[in-house]
């Protein structure tokens, strides 16, 4: 019997492709010269889509696949998937939560420290010989003991907060409702209130229509000329034009960003700014976590083929 078709929207690690191929016929849409004809040629055989947190599965694509039963996301964020369109046809959607939470939180804290202490610039200073020829590197900014704000207290936000507590930071958070926490973190009922509290504002929101540009001009300016915005969620949660304007004018002091609009071809205006730390959307990109994410997306897809319960469904 012919293997079920798996339509891959974006690249997966080779080890994962090799393993998926034991049970699926792989169709690599990202290699197609003409996507429309590629899809038409394999549409009837496709039982599953494999996509990623930074990629999509649109209603237009879903509607072209009459026998589609599952969309597996290699990532925790499924904002690129039209879940409503999938659900209308009882197509299941799965993601890879939990296995990446702590690595993402680690990088968020690393970005705070790298930005506040000038780690990248200091490396360049030492490596270029400036230390010998020009003397000590410029003084930087303290992180421990300062005020931290966590915008979105889901799995990742909670792990960020646990890490920041070890830095003796005064922690507050924003969520749609106040949470019953073990920690005595202050609840702020708006993003602006949280920003006004924060020296370091961490964006750990889930990306969805209600969080699009939640970090707007008012929030950005409330962080202030001495404050730092740190984003490990999605570019869509921040008004990027307002961010660039505030960083350029000094209304916002600093930023440390792992996510952007239009990745990977991000706005070149970022490149001219010396008060922003740029990271290439790699918060989950460790060997261990990407292995665990791959295992989980595969476990979901194989469970679907076997008619078993899915491990991490989102609908
Ligand atoms: C990656 C992510 O972008 O988990 C997510 O939603 O954004 C990241 O883990 C991606 O999913 C893996 O390539």
């Amino acid at each position: 019997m012919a293997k079920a078709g798996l339509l891959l929207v974006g690249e997966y690690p080779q080890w994962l492709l090799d393993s998926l191929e034991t049970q699926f016929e792989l169709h690599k849409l990202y290699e197609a010269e003409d996507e429309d004809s590629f899809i038409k040629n394999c549409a009837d055989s496709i039982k599953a889509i494999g996509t990623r947190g930074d990629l999509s599965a649109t209603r237009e694509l879903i509607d072209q696949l009459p026998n589609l039963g599952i969309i597996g996301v290699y990532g925790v964020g499924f904002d690129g998937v039209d879940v409503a369109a999938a659900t209308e046809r009882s197509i299941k959607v799965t993601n890879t939560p939990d296995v990446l939470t702590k690595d993402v939180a680690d990088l968020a804290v690393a970005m705070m420290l790298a930005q506040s202490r000038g780690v990248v610039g200091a490396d360049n200073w030492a490596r270029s010989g400036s230390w010998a020829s020009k003397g000590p590197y410029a003084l930087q900014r303290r992180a421990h003991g300062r005020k931290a704000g966590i915008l979105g207290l889901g799995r990742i936000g909670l792990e960020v907060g646990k890490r920041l507590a070890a830095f003796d930071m005064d922690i507050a958070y924003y969520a749609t409702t106040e949470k019953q926490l073990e920690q005595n973190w202050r609840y702020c009922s708006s993003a602006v209130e949280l920003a006004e509290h924060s020296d370091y504002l961490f964006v750990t929101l889930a990306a969805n229509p209600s969080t699009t540009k939640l970090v707007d001009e008012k929030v950005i300016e409330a962080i202030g000329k001495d404050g730092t915005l740190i984003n490990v969620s999605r570019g869509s949660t921040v008004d990027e034009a307002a961010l660039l304007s505030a960083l350029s004018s000094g209304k916002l002091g600093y930023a440390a960003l792992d996510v952007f609009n239009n990745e990977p071809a991000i706005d070149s205006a970022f490149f001219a700014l010396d008060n922003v730390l740029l990271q290439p959307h790699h918060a989950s990109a460790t060997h261990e976590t990407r292995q665990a994410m791959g295992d989980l997306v595969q476990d979901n897809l194989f469970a679907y083929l076997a008619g078993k319960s899915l491990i991490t469904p989102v609908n």
Side-chain angles (χ1 to χ4, degrees):
M1 185 172 86
K3 287 189 277 188
L6 169 61
L7 184 69
L8 292 164
V9 173
E11 291 193 62
Y12 279 4
Q14 189 57 49
W15 66 265
L16 180 55
L17 294 174
D18 294 343
S19 184
L20 288 167
E21 201 162 29
T22 63
Q23 296 198 33
F24 283 103
E25 184 75 31
L26 305 187
H27 300 271
K28 299 175 181 177
L29 182 58
Y30 55 91
E31 292 182 349
E33 288 184 14
D34 179 337
E35 286 195 0
D36 289 339
S37 58
F38 182 92
I39 293 168
K40 284 187 175 66
N41 289 336
C42 67
D44 289 345
S45 72
I46 300 299
K47 296 286 182 60
I49 289 176
T51 185
R52 301 196 315 242
D54 54 325
L55 298 176
S56 66
T58 61
R59 176 181 290 271
E60 181 190 10
L61 175 61
I62 293 167
D63 288 348
Q64 295 181 76
L65 306 173
N67 299 310
L68 182 65
I70 184 171
I71 301 169
V73 180
Y74 183 70
V76 66
F78 51 87
D79 47 296
V81 177
D82 193 325
V83 177
T87 304
E88 286 167 16
R89 288 179 45 199
S90 301
I91 296 166
K92 300 304 287 179
V93 180
T94 66
N95 66 339
T96 62
D98 297 321
V99 295
L100 51 70
T101 301
K102 294 185 178 182
D103 269 354
V104 174
D106 285 353
L107 189 77
V109 176
M111 287 162 67
M112 173 186 73
L113 293 173
Q115 176 53 279
S116 62
R117 301 300 300 273
V119 168
V120 173
D123 176 275
N124 293 334
W125 187 261
R127 198 178 299 275
S128 67
S130 295
W131 183 14
S133 60
K134 298 175 184 174
Y137 191 58
L139 296 181
Q140 301 299 308
R141 293 167 293 118
R142 174 177 292 181
H144 74 81
R146 304 300 299 276
K147 294 182 177 180
I150 302 172
L151 189 61
L153 201 67
R155 300 175 179 92
I156 293 172
L158 190 59
E159 280 299 325
V160 169
K162 288 178 182 177
R163 285 155 176 74
L164 299 178
F167 287 85
D168 304 319
M169 296 186 86
D170 174 2
I171 301 167
Y173 72 96
Y174 163 81
T176 48
T177 57
E178 188 168 3
K179 309 254 182 182
Q180 296 304 312
L181 300 174
E182 295 172 13
Q183 301 85 354
N184 63 343
W185 301 343
R186 174 182 155 204
Y187 174 65
C188 292
S189 58
S190 75
V192 170
E193 181 188 352
L194 184 68
E196 288 167 345
H197 159 87
S198 303
D199 297 313
Y200 297 90
L201 181 69
F202 292 79
V203 185
T204 53
L205 294 162
N208 57 53
S210 70
T211 62
T212 300
K213 294 188 180 179
L214 184 62
V215 181
D216 61 14
E217 181 180 7
K218 285 183 181 175
V219 173
I220 291 167
E221 293 188 2
I223 302 170
K225 63 181 178 56
D226 299 318
T228 303
L229 175 73
I230 297 159
N231 193 4
V232 291
S233 65
R234 285 284 187 270
S236 62
T237 60
V238 174
D239 180 336
E240 195 163 277
L243 175 61
L244 282 164
S245 173
L247 285 166
S248 301
S249 68
K251 287 183 179 178
L252 174 66
Y254 312 90
L257 309 172
D258 188 47
V259 287
F260 305 83
N261 290 339
N262 199 41
E263 294 173 13
I266 67 175
D267 192 321
S268 60
F270 283 112
F271 305 154
L273 296 171
D274 61 7
N275 54 346
V276 59
L277 174 72
L278 304 176
Q279 296 288 285
H281 197 161
H282 73 140
S284 67
T286 63
H287 295 290
E288 299 86 349
T289 284
R290 288 296 170 85
Q291 174 73 46
M293 290 165 63
D295 290 342
L296 185 48
V297 69
Q298 175 176 269
D299 289 348
N300 277 297
L301 292 171
F302 284 1
Y304 168 76
L305 283 184
K308 294 179 180 175
S309 299
L310 302 177
I311 296 86
T312 48
V314 301
N315 63 344

